[in-house]
Amino acid sequence: MTLIRRIPRQHLVAGIVLLALILYPVINPWQPYPQGVLLIAFLLAIQASGWNIISGYAGYISLGHSMFLGLGSYTAAIIALHTGVNPLWVAPLGGVTAVVVAVVFGSVVLRTRGHAFVIITIALLLSAQIVATNWDGLTNGSDGITLELPFWSSDFQNIPFYYAFLILLVLAVLFSAWIARTKFGTGLIAIREDEGKAASIGVNTTVFKIMAYGASSFFIGVAGGVYAYYQTFLNPVGSFAILGSVLIVLSALVGGRGTLYGPVLGAFIVSLINEAATVYGGSTQSRVLILGLILVAVVLFLPAGLLPTFIGMYRRRHPVETEYTDQEGALKSAAIVRDRLPSSPVSSAPLLEVRGVTKRFGGLTAVDNADLTVERGSITALIGPNGSGKTTLFNLITGNMQADSGTITFNGKRIEKLAPWTRGHLGLGRTFQVTRLFKDMTVLQNVVAPLPDGRLRTMLADAVSGHEAARARELLGIVGLARFADQKAGDLSYGQQKLVELAQVLMLSPELILLDEPAGGVNPSLLGRLTGVIRELNQAGVSFLVVEHNIPLVLDLCDPVHVFARGSCIASGPPGQIREDPVVLDAYLGDDWRPQDAHA
Amino acid sequence: MAQFVQALALGVLIGGIYALMASGLTLIFGVLRIVNIAQGAFLILVATFTWWLWRATGLDPILASVVTAPLMFGLGWLMHRFVISRIRGQAASMSVLLTFGIALVIEGVLNIVTGNRFRSATPSYFEESFRVGDILLPKAQVYGFLAAMVVLGGLYLVLTRTWTGRAIRATSQNPSAAALVGIGATATAALAFALGSASAGVGGSILSVLYPFFPASHYDWISRLLGIVVLGGMGSLPGALCGALILGLAETLTATYGSLQWSTLVFYLVIMVVLLARPQGLFGARLREDAV
């Protein structure tokens, strides 16, 4: 009994519903109509679960996902037609076709951020219909393909299809659940929340998105093969119908996109509505209107979907106790960081060398032929007035922007042309001036998300338990936030978010960490801990490059100090020397400033 | 040779009309950062209304844009005020879903009110052509092109010469800076949405003569327009013009030398090739994202 109680409630409910659905045809075998309705609901749920991977987890909306059902149908039907094999046995090949098409077109469209994807998904669906209509030789054109009737006795009605779709649905949900557990899944959510940030913590956003698109299509393709056999007839207009996509989008949206069971729940609701609209609403025409109105209403009034809304209501009635920063726990174990540091050869060559780097924004030269060196094992500071190009230089070093000219060498390797995630994999981590945590993810998920390398094995590692999660907990311990692991990152205070961001960067096992104004908006006691953590990590072998306006902090913590003005370095040296340098005083304080003012 | 010149001329005419239709989409995207999936449905809605007006009163369908453009301006403004503005500040994907829903509602209403069948407005000049040397230029295409150019020119003047236009361009470049210098973001957005809808008002009237349409045709149109905008670079007006001309030419050349069925596909193929080489589109600029 205690075992059952330990299963999370939603899984328990899902299990009970599944059991009921398995038993239903046994208990009530002689009613084909409700079975037929359920079967179509399963099919829709399979599609919505798939859609959820690219559009729910990764946030890239597809309006043409029903295409994969059609591709699967046509694949199975064409093979069956030409070889005489039963379509049911080649249905998995439908999944393969779907994945191939998704990966090929995804590789073209998903290289960019933003809106091209949604547009191409509509175009793809319509193109598929055009191809199926016009490629007579393969698809039999608009006449369509007729398949043989099921091989089993008609006494069984559609019960075998019922179970086939139910099995596929269970597999699709398990697959989705598995993805959500991996670092791949965490990376997808990171992409949805903040794609630029995701790239800076080692997430190869391009590959992630393409893989997600492929993964989202597989079970739909397989289901398409089965569906072709179920219908025994398919034609271009029916197989590549945009209304199918509408149903998918609506299901995931109603149930709650980005959740595991939301799309399934939504699919059951939408199927019922759709069935009712077909039976009572008259024609297809009014169905379009009804579905459109529901879509508008859901976006306006229930954007999160039913499941997250319910869970939110439940949480509000059963609040979790707030916990506070663990002061003693912090800093106990900075050695953990050292464990995973790459044992780099002890060399005297600088860790990071920036030479002659320039970046222009239109007519504005933000970074002008700048040089900068960070020695191995140092805490180097970069100071300078606002607008002097410090943050832009950071962006050029970490790859958030590409330099117009110049070279950047990290650990003896030229990196100025590399993608941000590759630089992350090489051991370059950064924090942002204004923290950019993934606010809807938990603190632990935030820290688990970074990928220290680009290997598939790392990508598919478990993010919920296992060594990656354990390491994330250790890192949270270092910054004293272990007790906040399961809170939403967005609920933390600003200073705490800065610490989480530091832990996040440490997950990359970086050799060099770029801190963009670590002290900004942090209260003095928290700042004390922050500098403590930085010193501790530095002793463990991590180098730092710090942009900061808090000059006392810089002079206390850093050596050497570089001063930036008007896009390039105007002075460098130990803190004591910089403090007295007239050039620096001039750049910071202007011509009117006289030393005696400071003592006034 | 004559056939080639003919195809080129037709391509340019069609491209000009596409450019007008796409300008609304790109204007709305530029200011609101919303991909208005309902733009195609706007076109079909207007085409249907124009057809009805033409049948009822005999008003020339292309001239009818004098009526439809202000109507769509008003409808666009109301739609922004009561529907679109409600999701401001939410994830961009929500706006895609919302405008998709609006497109479905329009399609559904048209289905119920007018029935699911093909229509086309056929004024007296419908099958006549101008003859220039060996080339035949269908009158409907020429009138449509001229109307499109007049409206595009007017739009260009509004955007560059008036305070309102400058406000729209400023907002599309940097909304927060525009707000700081006293440009009301909501009012500008409403205006841009209304202007974008009004351009669909003219485009839809032209469409009613040039292409047969039925309620679900809006999917074809929106994917065509989106293709143009992606090709030109999202939010860029010169980009939309250029993309429209390229795709208009690609389409007519395929229809002339290949087959009509495949011409739509060539359309998408061109987009894919461009995206491979230049993911941000022809005129799409990569702006700095760090300075907010």
Side-chain angles (χ1 to χ4, degrees):
Chain A
M1 205 53 213
T2 48
L3 197 69
I4 292 179
R5 236 178 252 142
R6 273 171 55 198
I7 303 171
R9 204 161 300 176
Q10 46 174 347
H11 297 315
L12 203 62
V13 174
I16 292 168
V17 171
L18 177 62
L19 203 64
L21 289 173
I22 292 172
L23 291 176
Y24 180 72
V26 181
I27 296 167
N28 190 8
W30 308 120
Q31 283 197 307
Y33 178 66
Q35 277 167 29
V37 173
L38 279 173
L39 179 155
I40 293 299
F42 299 160
L43 178 63
L44 187 58
I46 295 167
Q47 299 181 79
S49 291
W51 183 90
N52 191 42
I53 294 172
I54 180 74
S55 306
Y57 295 157
Y60 272 73
I61 300 283
S62 163
L63 294 183
H65 237 59
S66 59
M67 172 181 75
F68 296 118
L69 192 75
L71 285 176
S73 295
Y74 265 100
T75 307
I78 290 168
I79 294 175
L81 208 61
H82 287 275
T83 63
V85 180
N86 188 293
L88 218 47
W89 313 141
V90 290
L93 291 178
V96 174
T97 311
V99 171
V100 168
V101 169
V103 167
V104 167
F105 286 96
S107 321
V108 179
V109 216
L110 286 169
R111 290 180 307 144
T112 44
R113 279 187 221 172
H115 292 91
F117 179 71
V118 62
I119 292 165
I120 296 300
T121 57
I122 305 181
L124 272 181
L125 176 66
L126 296 176
S127 309
Q129 200 185 84
I130 297 171
V131 171
T133 311
N134 291 307
W135 197 348
D136 276 336
L138 188 70
T139 63
N140 211 14
S142 46
D143 293 340
I145 299 174
T146 308
L147 295 167
E148 57 189 284
L149 291 174
F151 59 82
W152 52 81
S153 148
S154 59
D155 289 347
F156 289 112
Q157 307 158 50
N158 285 324
I159 292 178
F161 285 119
Y162 179 96
Y163 284 114
F165 284 124
L166 187 56
I167 290 169
L168 278 176
L169 174 57
V170 171
L171 289 177
V173 170
L174 287 177
F175 182 59
S176 172
W178 173 70
I179 284 184
R181 270 187 82 94
T182 59
K183 290 185 72 140
F184 173 54
T186 319
L188 292 181
I189 297 170
I191 288 173
R192 179 185 74 201
E193 303 263 309
D194 183 344
E195 197 165 340
K197 162 84 188 199
S200 82
I201 55 167
V203 174
N204 184 336
T205 54
T206 309
V207 165
F208 270 58
K209 287 186 288 180
I210 296 169
M211 277 177 59
Y213 194 35
S216 77
S217 70
F218 179 72
F219 284 101
I220 305 181
V222 180
V226 181
Y227 187 57
Y229 193 41
Y230 168 71
Q231 291 211 303
T232 66
F233 173 73
L234 67 162
N235 67 355
V237 179
S239 298
F240 299 107
I242 195 130
L243 211 56
S245 285
V246 178
L247 292 174
I248 298 174
V249 170
L250 207 52
S251 301
L253 211 59
V254 166
R257 67 196 174 114
T259 63
L260 179 62
Y261 294 118
V264 179
L265 173 70
F268 280 89
I269 295 171
V270 169
S271 297
L272 286 179
I273 293 173
N274 193 37
E275 186 60 28
T278 317
V279 176
Y280 302 109
S283 52
T284 322
Q285 278 83 324
S286 52
R287 239 172 67 199
V288 174
L289 179 60
I290 292 168
L291 295 177
L293 284 174
I294 296 175
L295 183 53
V296 171
V298 171
V299 171
L300 290 183
F301 305 113
L302 192 72
L306 286 174
L307 208 54
T309 309
F310 282 150
I311 291 173
M313 276 158 60
Y314 179 83
R315 286 274 154 75
R316 263 194 297 283
R317 293 171 119 213
H318 305 86
V320 193
E321 241 179 86
T322 318
E323 290 175 280
Y324 296 97
T325 316
D326 175 14
Q327 302 284 351
E328 296 101 66
L331 283 179
K332 269 199 306 216
S333 43
I336 302 165
V337 180
R338 198 167 11 199
D339 291 347
R340 280 241 302 228
L341 276 182
S343 50
S344 51
V346 186
S347 104
S348 56
L351 185 57
L352 178 81
E353 272 191 293
V354 177
R355 290 287 167 267
V357 163
T358 299
K359 178 71 185 177
R360 291 187 191 85
F361 298 109
L364 174 79
T365 307
V367 175
D368 188 5
N369 199 19
D371 294 331
L372 181 77
T373 305
V374 177
E375 297 295 341
R376 213 173 282 274
S378 70
I379 303 179
T380 303
L382 184 60
I383 61 171
N386 289 97
S388 60
K390 304 180 301 289
T391 296
T392 301
L393 186 68
F394 259 38
N395 285 329
L396 296 176
I397 294 172
T398 55
N400 293 53
M401 289 175 187
Q402 295 277 341
D404 296 326
S405 62
T407 64
I408 303 170
T409 315
F410 178 67
N411 236 343
K413 195 169 171 171
R414 291 274 292 272
I415 60 165
E416 72 269 9
K417 295 265 186 280
L418 298 179
W421 48 84
T422 316
R423 301 185 202 200
H425 300 162
L426 288 174
L428 198 61
R430 78 170 292 183
T431 65
F432 290 86
Q433 191 172 346
V434 177
T435 57
R436 283 170 72 176
L437 288 183
F438 308 113
K439 293 197 169 48
D440 277 343
M441 288 161 62
T442 66
V443 170
L444 185 68
Q445 282 174 321
N446 262 285
V447 181
V448 171
L451 285 123
D453 57 61
R455 286 181 305 175
L456 196 65
R457 223 184 67 191
T458 316
M459 221 163 138
L460 299 183
D462 193 335
V464 180
S465 56
H467 63 275
E468 290 292 314
R471 180 169 164 77
R473 280 185 192 281
E474 285 169 3
L475 291 174
L476 277 175
I478 291 179
V479 296
L481 292 174
R483 288 199 221 146
F484 290 81
D486 294 324
Q487 296 239 347
K488 276 205 166 160
D491 296 344
L492 263 54
S493 83
Y494 188 72
Q496 289 172 325
Q497 291 193 23
K498 289 227 157 195
L499 288 170
V500 175
E501 205 170 45
L502 187 60
Q504 198 175 37
V505 170
L506 291 176
M507 195 72 186
L508 285 170
S509 303
E511 284 188 69
L512 174 63
I513 300 180
L514 280 65
L515 298 173
D516 200 350
E517 298 195 21
V522 178
N523 76 51
S525 85
L526 215 48
L527 187 59
R529 173 137 92 266
L530 195 66
T531 51
V533 171
I534 293 173
R535 281 213 176 89
E536 196 78 25
L537 290 171
N538 183 244
Q539 260 152 41
V542 184
S543 312
F544 285 88
L545 177 61
V546 186
V547 162
E548 184 52 64
H549 284 301
N550 182 340
I551 300 301
L553 175 79
V554 167
L555 298 179
D556 176 44
L557 184 69
C558 305
D559 186 11
V561 176
H562 299 286
V563 185
F564 237 56
R566 287 182 283 288
S568 58
C569 197
I570 55 164
S572 302
Q577 180 190 329
I578 292 294
R579 190 177 4 213
E580 309 297 332
D581 192 328
V583 180
V584 177
L585 297 178
D586 183 48
Y588 250 104
L589 306 164
D591 299 328
D592 321 332
W593 192 83
R594 285 156 296 142
Q596 59 268 34
D597 291 353
H599 309 291
Chain B
M1 188 60 203
Q3 195 191 21
F4 181 67
V5 177
Q6 168 100 36
L8 277 188
L10 276 181
V12 170
L13 292 182
I14 303 263
I17 295 162
Y18 282 173
L20 169 66
M21 292 171 173
S23 66
L25 197 61
T26 208
L27 185 67
I28 290 172
F29 179 80
V31 177
L32 288 91
R33 301 285 138 181
I34 282 178
V35 180
N36 182 20
I37 307 282
Q39 195 79 2
F42 286 0
L43 286 175
I44 301 301
L45 176 69
V46 173
T48 314
F49 178 73
T50 307
W51 176 88
W52 173 82
L53 204 63
W54 167 72
R55 286 283 294 256
T57 66
L59 179 65
D60 179 87
I62 295 177
L63 268 185
S65 44
V66 179
V67 182
T68 54
L71 277 181
M72 283 307 289
F73 186 92
L75 185 69
W77 194 87
L78 289 174
M79 195 170 281
H80 179 268
R81 173 74 180 70
F82 292 105
V83 186
I84 306 283
S85 65
R86 302 184 69 127
I87 58 156
R88 213 165 49 142
Q90 289 193 31
S93 52
M94 291 316 261
S95 68
V96 168
L97 295 172
L98 179 62
T99 53
F100 188 46
I102 293 171
L104 291 173
V105 171
I106 293 177
E107 181 193 342
V109 168
L110 284 178
N111 263 326
I112 291 167
V113 175
T114 71
N116 190 17
R117 63 186 180 86
F118 271 106
R119 290 198 169 76
S120 176
T122 52
S124 56
Y125 54 82
F126 174 65
E127 287 184 315
E128 295 169 16
S129 295
F130 293 112
R131 175 176 285 277
V132 185
D134 288 339
I135 311 166
L136 288 174
L137 297 175
K139 283 189 179 173
Q141 248 96 333
V142 174
Y143 294 149
F145 176 79
L146 290 177
M149 286 303 113
V150 168
V151 175
L152 271 181
L155 194 62
Y156 178 78
L157 286 180
V158 167
L159 287 180
T160 51
R161 296 292 160 82
T162 65
W163 189 90
T164 319
R166 277 196 292 275
I168 287 178
R169 286 189 299 141
T171 309
S172 81
Q173 279 176 25
N174 190 338
S176 31
L180 281 178
V181 296
I183 298 169
T186 316
T188 315
L191 198 66
F193 200 86
L195 269 180
S197 309
S199 82
V202 182
S205 288
I206 301 172
L207 187 152
S208 72
V209 190
L210 293 186
Y211 300 89
F213 58 91
F214 71 108
S217 326
H218 72 94
Y219 299 115
D220 292 330
W221 282 99
I222 190 59
S223 34
R224 217 174 279 195
L225 299 187
L226 290 172
I228 290 167
V229 174
V230 171
L231 182 62
M234 306 281 299
S236 154
L237 216 49
L241 188 67
C242 204
L245 280 177
I246 292 174
L247 289 175
L249 284 171
E251 209 179 31
T252 37
L253 288 173
T254 328
T256 309
Y257 293 102
S259 75
L260 196 60
Q261 286 107 351
W262 295 108
S263 63
T264 321
L265 218 53
V266 169
F267 207 92
Y268 300 136
L269 209 66
V270 173
I271 298 162
M272 282 296 177
V273 172
V274 170
L275 282 182
L276 259 180
R278 227 183 121 76
Q280 73 272 37
L282 294 174
F283 283 70
R286 284 180 168 163
L287 297 173
R288 63 186 296 186
E289 289 170 4
D290 62 317
V292 190

